[in-house]
């Protein structure tokens, strides 16, 4: 009769996810996760190929939470602006995780970058449904540019707040972002943002592929 697993993969992921949300990703090692979960390191070796595999799955879970809950808060009734405000609130609430997600001037994981871009495009289309932009060709590129410019502004303000360099009222944030979006919509020149380093994220760029 096969021996029943005492520590499941879900339990390991739950433990690692809670640690990441609280303290960021850099502290996720086999030893730290085992200590937090009150089990040995052996189950991690059995359930995951390596720490890169485990952290990638934690990032997918974080991405899902961002997409379905964290970044879906309502503030003004303007979908894109509410997404931005949700992101800034998230950064203030989960400082270490925010810093871990945004590494060396770009998003440290492709899954996070893709999630934020997809949400930005979705919310832009919802808020500006009457602009007549299509989903193909120049219009699709234009939306892409606008959304990246919006994320750069939003992440910049979030970083200033998190690092206690500046503070903003909600009205100030809304006014700055609305002005930036308006200017981007009026600018007919594409800005080659597909090569913007902020969104040129390497998958697991900040993660070490070892079971430390």
């Amino acid at each position: 009769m096969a021996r029943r697993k005492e520590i499941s993969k879900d339990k390991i992921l739950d433990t690692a996810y809670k640690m990441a949300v609280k303290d960021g990703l850099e502290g996720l090692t086999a030893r730290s996760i085992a200590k937090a979960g009150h089990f040995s390191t052996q189950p991690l070796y059995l359930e995951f190929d390596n720490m890169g595999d485990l952290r990638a799955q934690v990032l997918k879970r974080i991405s899902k939470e961002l997409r379905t809950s964290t970044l879906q808060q309502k503030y003004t009734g303007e979908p894109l602006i509410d997404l931005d405000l949700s992101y800034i609130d998230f950064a203030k609430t989960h400082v270490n995780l925010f810093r871990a997600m945004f590494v060396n001037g770009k998003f440290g994981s492709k899954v996070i970058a893709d999630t934020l871009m997809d949400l930005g495009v979705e919310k832009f289309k919802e808020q500006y449904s009457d602009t007549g932009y299509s989903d193909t060709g120049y219009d699709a590129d234009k939306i892409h540019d606008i959304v990246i410019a919006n994320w750069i502004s939003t992440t910049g303000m979030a970083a200033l707040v998190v690092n206690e360099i500046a503070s903003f009222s909600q009205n100030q944030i809304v006014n700055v972002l609305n002005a930036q979006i308006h200017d981007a919509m009026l600018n007919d020149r594409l800005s080659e943002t597909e090569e913007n380093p902020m969104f040129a994220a390497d998958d697991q760029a900040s993660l070490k592929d070892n079971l430390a």
Side-chain angles (χ1 to χ4, degrees):
M1 181 175 178
R3 183 179 178 183
R4 182 176 63 85
K5 289 183 182 179
E6 294 182 2
I7 305 300
S8 68
K9 185 174 185 177
D10 285 344
K11 179 176 175 59
I12 297 169
L13 277 174
D14 285 344
T15 301
Y17 171 78
K18 290 174 183 177
M19 290 175 64
V21 169
K22 182 176 181 292
D23 297 319
L25 295 166
E26 291 304 316
L28 292 184
T29 66
R31 291 189 184 93
S32 67
I33 296 167
K35 182 178 179 180
H38 305 290
F39 45 77
S40 73
T41 58
Q42 184 180 18
L44 281 79
Y45 291 88
L46 295 174
E47 298 292 347
F48 300 93
D49 295 337
N50 48 49
M51 281 304 296
D53 178 28
L54 190 155
R55 289 172 177 171
Q57 293 192 46
V58 170
L59 279 167
K60 287 180 181 178
R61 187 162 174 177
I62 291 170
S63 174
K64 181 179 179 181
E65 183 68 18
L66 290 172
R67 184 186 296 274
T68 61
S69 178
T70 304
L71 300 185
Q72 297 289 351
Q73 306 306 308
K74 306 296 183 185
Y75 299 92
T76 67
E78 298 178 294
L80 183 56
I81 297 298
D82 284 350
L83 174 64
D84 297 335
L85 291 172
S86 296
Y87 182 75
I88 293 171
D89 187 59
F90 155 77
K92 292 189 293 184
T93 305
H94 301 291
V95 173
N96 290 330
L97 181 56
F98 167 75
R99 286 174 173 158
M101 284 169 42
F102 192 72
V103 180
N104 297 326
K106 66 180 182 181
F107 291 106
S109 167
K110 187 175 186 300
V111 68
I112 298 298
D114 288 348
T115 294
L116 296 181
M117 276 303 302
D118 290 347
L119 278 171
V121 170
E122 173 188 318
K123 298 299 184 180
F124 174 85
K125 290 179 178 178
E126 187 178 346
Q127 182 167 332
Y128 297 99
S129 58
D130 59 348
T131 58
Y133 287 124
S134 71
D135 293 328
T136 59
Y138 178 88
D139 285 352
D141 290 340
K142 181 65 177 177
I143 293 172
H144 184 267
D145 285 357
I146 293 169
V147 169
I148 285 187
N150 174 252
W151 274 127
I152 290 172
S153 296
T154 304
T155 300
M157 282 190 284
L160 289 172
V161 170
V162 163
N163 291 306
E164 299 182 348
I165 296 172
S167 61
F168 307 97
S169 69
Q170 180 173 302
N171 282 340
Q172 287 175 318
I173 294 171
V174 170
N175 289 338
V176 167
L177 292 174
N178 271 326
Q180 177 270 313
I181 294 167
H182 179 72
D183 288 346
M185 291 174 68
L186 290 178
N187 182 7
D188 287 332
R189 185 184 65 183
L190 290 175
S191 56
E192 302 296 333
T193 50
E194 64 272 15
E195 297 179 1
N196 191 293
M198 179 177 177
F199 277 83
D202 297 325
D203 194 23
Q204 304 175 45
S206 65
L207 307 182
K208 294 181 176 62
D209 193 30
N210 66 299
L211 278 163

